[in-house]
Amino acid sequence: MTLLPDPPVIEFRSVALTYPGPPPVSALLPCDLTVRRGEYITVVGPSGSGKSTFLNIAGLLDLPTHGTYLLDGIDTATIRDVERTGLRGSRIGFVFQAFHLLPHRTARENVELAMLYQRTNRAARRARAHTALERVGLGHRMDALPTRLSGGERQRVAIARALVTNPSLLLCDEPTGNLDTATATAILHLLDTLHGDGMTILVITHDPQVAARAQRTVTIRDGILTDGAPQRAHP
Ligand code: ADP
């Protein structure tokens, strides 16, 4: 039996996006990027540099106008919209700056909702939500409404919701942007732990301190993506 090599989680081949305008805006210039399973990578760049454009492509929310994007070895351009939506729901866990929790649902219900479109019965959904919340240190707050939780706890619920479908990739957009320094550090520590457990993590941030936590940093500036942290200006 021949074992096929494990494909990268993300493979960008000359991926670019130009918004049609008018006038057209080349928000992401052709770039190559490979993210291997188990990597922790940050994408850093100032406001307007193309980070959201990159996030939307990597998260299968937008199609590039040029190039090829393989997710887990699957060419995401050649599949139907419904399959792409399925791929997004099953392989990518999103964590946003603003948490995006439903206010009238408990922590556990918010996590369970991520599995709504999976063929999982109610009892299994509850059990998996419980496990995911325990994994992020919130087993004791499962029945709380988001309004009764601190910012850091809300972000933990959002991370549990992202993890519960057992995704290939945790895609985080400014995950500490709404948190004070101590809480942000605790969330970054949680991401370190998840990475230690083998999770592939991609964090998009404008904050060099958040970027520095990862194994690897790529920089976007004026739509140009380059491997490596931004060069410091010489004094
Ligand atoms: P960032 O997330 O780093 O702030 P964006 O990806 O949002 O950057 O934006 C990159 C560039 O693309 C900016 O010049 C922005 O004005 C432009 N842009 C973003 N969205 C659109 C759009 N829908 N149409 C045209 N231009 C856009």
Side-chain angles (χ1 to χ4, degrees), residues 19 25 27 46-54:
Y19 293 108
V25 178
S47 177
S49 57
K51 297 188 304 297
S52 305
T53 304
F54 171 88

Side-chain angles (χ1 to χ4, degrees), residues 124-147:
R125 287 206 302 266
R126 281 177 76 91
R128 282 174 61 179
H130 189 159
T131 306
L133 283 161
E134 281 187 332
R135 192 169 176 196
V136 300
L138 271 191
H140 61 299
R141 301 289 275 138
M142 284 195 306
D143 295 318
L145 291 172
T147 44

Side-chain angles (χ1 to χ4, degrees), residues 30-45:
C31 64
D32 294 328
L33 179 72
T34 301
V35 179
R36 304 209 166 272
R37 211 163 299 283
E39 261 196 291
Y40 181 177
I41 176 171
T42 46
V43 175
V44 66

Side-chain angles (χ1 to χ4, degrees), residues 75-98:
D75 185 341
T76 60
T78 57
I79 55 178
R80 290 180 303 145
D81 282 353
V82 62
E83 290 169 319
R84 199 175 305 110
T85 303
L87 210 56
R88 182 168 64 233
S90 60
R91 311 244 180 164
I92 302 175
F94 289 93
V95 176
F96 298 104
Q97 175 172 354

Side-chain angles (χ1 to χ4, degrees), residues 11-17 28-32 57 63-70 75-78:
E11 191 173 354
F12 275 17
R13 295 182 189 155
S14 239
V15 163
L17 189 142
L28 186 66
L29 292 155
C31 64
D32 294 328
I57 296 172
L63 281 171
T65 49
H66 182 267
T68 305
Y69 170 23
L70 305 174
D75 185 341
T76 60
T78 57

